[in-house]
């Protein structure tokens, strides 16, 4: 199974279908540029597994390295998604393993992620990979426009 790291606008475009299916709030006209800017300015990284016909990404993971007073240096997984027709092939687990290896190679002690309450298949994967329920994540919307 080949895992590729996105480096160019074309690489991001290759993952278009998976990203837009997972993050439906994104504007299809601007998300490639937005993602590229995140890669350039916010330490965001995107890795993906190409489909067998090499026409699109079957699965992707978006993550970033952060240094926080609470945790020290961590990798935070923003996104992990497999297109429905490619599920059951171990792609999500392989992408997590890829990030875990990158963390170990870069002296990062923990990998963090948030997951929706009802995503039980994802939770089984995370638990099988050694994740623990470490906290509750709270968010509050603002009036910013």
């Amino acid at each position: 199974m080949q895992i590729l790291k996105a480096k160019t606008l074309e690489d991001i475009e290759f993952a278009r279908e998976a990203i837009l299916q997972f993050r439906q709030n994104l504007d299809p006209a601007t998300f490639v540029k937005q993602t590229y800017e995140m890669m350039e300015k916010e330490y965001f990284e995107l890795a993906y597994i190409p489909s067998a016909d090499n026409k699109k990404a079957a699965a992707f993971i978006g993550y970033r390295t952060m240094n926080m007073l609470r945790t020290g240096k961590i990798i935070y997984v923003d996104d992990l998604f497999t297109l429905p027709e490619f599920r059951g092939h171990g792609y999500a687990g392989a992408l997590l393993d890829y990030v875990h290896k990158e963390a170990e190679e870069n002296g990062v002690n923990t990998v963090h992620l948030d997951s929706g309450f009802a995503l039980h298949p994802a939770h089984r994967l995370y638990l099988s990979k050694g994740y623990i329920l470490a906290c509750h994540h709270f968010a509050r919307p603002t009036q910013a426009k």
Side-chain angles (χ1 to χ4, degrees), residues 6 23 50-51 81 88-90 101 119 142-143:
R23 295 294 183 206
S51 60
F81 182 75
H89 298 286
K101 183 176 181 214
L119 300 174
T142 68
Q143 301 302 314

mmCIF file of all heavy atoms in Angstrom, residues 6 23 50-51 81 88-90 101 119 142-143:
data_model
loop_
_atom_site.group_PDB
_atom_site.id
_atom_site.type_symbol
_atom_site.label_atom_id
_atom_site.label_comp_id
_atom_site.label_asym_id
_atom_site.label_seq_id
_atom_site.Cartn_x
_atom_site.Cartn_y
_atom_site.Cartn_z
ATOM 1 N N ALA A 6 1.263 14.919 0.254
ATOM 2 C CA ALA A 6 0.953 16.011 -0.667
ATOM 3 C C ALA A 6 1.990 17.117 -0.509
ATOM 4 O O ALA A 6 2.323 17.511 0.603
ATOM 5 C CB ALA A 6 -0.444 16.551 -0.394
ATOM 6 N N ARG A 23 -15.312 16.794 4.409
ATOM 7 C CA ARG A 23 -15.434 18.162 4.928
ATOM 8 C C ARG A 23 -16.373 18.958 4.016
ATOM 9 O O ARG A 23 -15.950 19.758 3.212
ATOM 10 C CB ARG A 23 -14.061 18.829 5.035
ATOM 11 C CG ARG A 23 -13.137 18.175 6.032
ATOM 12 C CD ARG A 23 -13.672 18.343 7.439
ATOM 13 N NE ARG A 23 -12.756 17.771 8.426
ATOM 14 C CZ ARG A 23 -13.148 17.334 9.601
ATOM 15 N NH1 ARG A 23 -14.429 17.378 9.942
ATOM 16 N NH2 ARG A 23 -12.268 16.842 10.459
ATOM 17 N N PRO A 50 -3.463 6.403 -2.842
ATOM 18 C CA PRO A 50 -4.138 6.432 -4.143
ATOM 19 C C PRO A 50 -5.005 5.188 -4.343
ATOM 20 O O PRO A 50 -4.703 4.107 -3.837
ATOM 21 C CB PRO A 50 -2.989 6.431 -5.157
ATOM 22 C CG PRO A 50 -1.754 6.732 -4.386
ATOM 23 C CD PRO A 50 -2.011 6.305 -2.971
ATOM 24 N N SER A 51 -6.079 5.349 -5.093
ATOM 25 C CA SER A 51 -6.906 4.207 -5.481
ATOM 26 C C SER A 51 -6.093 3.310 -6.411
ATOM 27 O O SER A 51 -5.075 3.732 -6.971
ATOM 28 C CB SER A 51 -8.180 4.692 -6.187
ATOM 29 O OG SER A 51 -7.840 5.439 -7.350
ATOM 30 N N PHE A 81 -10.069 10.023 6.730
ATOM 31 C CA PHE A 81 -11.274 9.616 6.013
ATOM 32 C C PHE A 81 -10.920 8.659 4.891
ATOM 33 O O PHE A 81 -9.915 8.827 4.200
ATOM 34 C CB PHE A 81 -11.967 10.853 5.414
ATOM 35 C CG PHE A 81 -13.244 10.555 4.691
ATOM 36 C CD1 PHE A 81 -14.401 10.264 5.385
ATOM 37 C CD2 PHE A 81 -13.289 10.581 3.314
ATOM 38 C CE1 PHE A 81 -15.599 10.002 4.716
ATOM 39 C CE2 PHE A 81 -14.473 10.321 2.629
ATOM 40 C CZ PHE A 81 -15.628 10.028 3.335
ATOM 41 N N GLY A 88 -12.707 -0.947 4.636
ATOM 42 C CA GLY A 88 -12.491 -2.359 4.912
ATOM 43 C C GLY A 88 -11.173 -2.895 4.385
ATOM 44 O O GLY A 88 -10.922 -4.094 4.457
ATOM 45 N N HIS A 89 -10.316 -2.020 3.876
ATOM 46 C CA HIS A 89 -9.018 -2.444 3.339
ATOM 47 C C HIS A 89 -7.843 -2.033 4.223
ATOM 48 O O HIS A 89 -6.697 -2.207 3.835
ATOM 49 C CB HIS A 89 -8.813 -1.872 1.937
ATOM 50 C CG HIS A 89 -9.824 -2.333 0.941
ATOM 51 N ND1 HIS A 89 -9.826 -3.603 0.401
ATOM 52 C CD2 HIS A 89 -10.906 -1.706 0.417
ATOM 53 C CE1 HIS A 89 -10.847 -3.717 -0.432
ATOM 54 N NE2 HIS A 89 -11.520 -2.590 -0.430
ATOM 55 N N GLY A 90 -8.136 -1.454 5.390
ATOM 56 C CA GLY A 90 -7.081 -1.072 6.315
ATOM 57 C C GLY A 90 -6.406 0.250 6.013
ATOM 58 O O GLY A 90 -5.345 0.551 6.562
ATOM 59 N N LYS A 101 4.588 6.641 12.982
ATOM 60 C CA LYS A 101 6.009 6.492 12.630
ATOM 61 C C LYS A 101 6.670 7.862 12.488
ATOM 62 O O LYS A 101 7.783 8.077 12.976
ATOM 63 C CB LYS A 101 6.143 5.692 11.335
ATOM 64 C CG LYS A 101 7.576 5.427 10.945
ATOM 65 C CD LYS A 101 7.661 4.559 9.707
ATOM 66 C CE LYS A 101 9.132 4.318 9.407
ATOM 67 N NZ LYS A 101 9.413 4.234 8.007
ATOM 68 N N LEU A 119 -19.306 7.984 15.894
ATOM 69 C CA LEU A 119 -18.443 7.314 14.907
ATOM 70 C C LEU A 119 -17.815 6.051 15.503
ATOM 71 O O LEU A 119 -16.593 5.919 15.594
ATOM 72 C CB LEU A 119 -17.372 8.291 14.412
ATOM 73 C CG LEU A 119 -17.920 9.546 13.743
ATOM 74 C CD1 LEU A 119 -16.803 10.511 13.408
ATOM 75 C CD2 LEU A 119 -18.696 9.178 12.481
ATOM 76 N N THR A 142 -18.286 31.842 17.974
ATOM 77 C CA THR A 142 -18.252 33.279 18.227
ATOM 78 C C THR A 142 -19.107 33.979 17.183
ATOM 79 O O THR A 142 -19.676 33.333 16.299
ATOM 80 C CB THR A 142 -16.816 33.829 18.142
ATOM 81 O OG1 THR A 142 -16.375 33.746 16.790
ATOM 82 C CG2 THR A 142 -15.878 33.060 19.059
ATOM 83 N N GLN A 143 -19.170 35.266 17.273
ATOM 84 C CA GLN A 143 -19.931 36.060 16.304
ATOM 85 C C GLN A 143 -19.048 36.549 15.160
ATOM 86 O O GLN A 143 -19.460 37.360 14.353
ATOM 87 C CB GLN A 143 -20.573 37.250 17.007
ATOM 88 C CG GLN A 143 -21.531 36.855 18.140
ATOM 89 C CD GLN A 143 -22.658 35.950 17.676
ATOM 90 O OE1 GLN A 143 -23.289 36.206 16.662
ATOM 91 N NE2 GLN A 143 -22.928 34.889 18.423
#
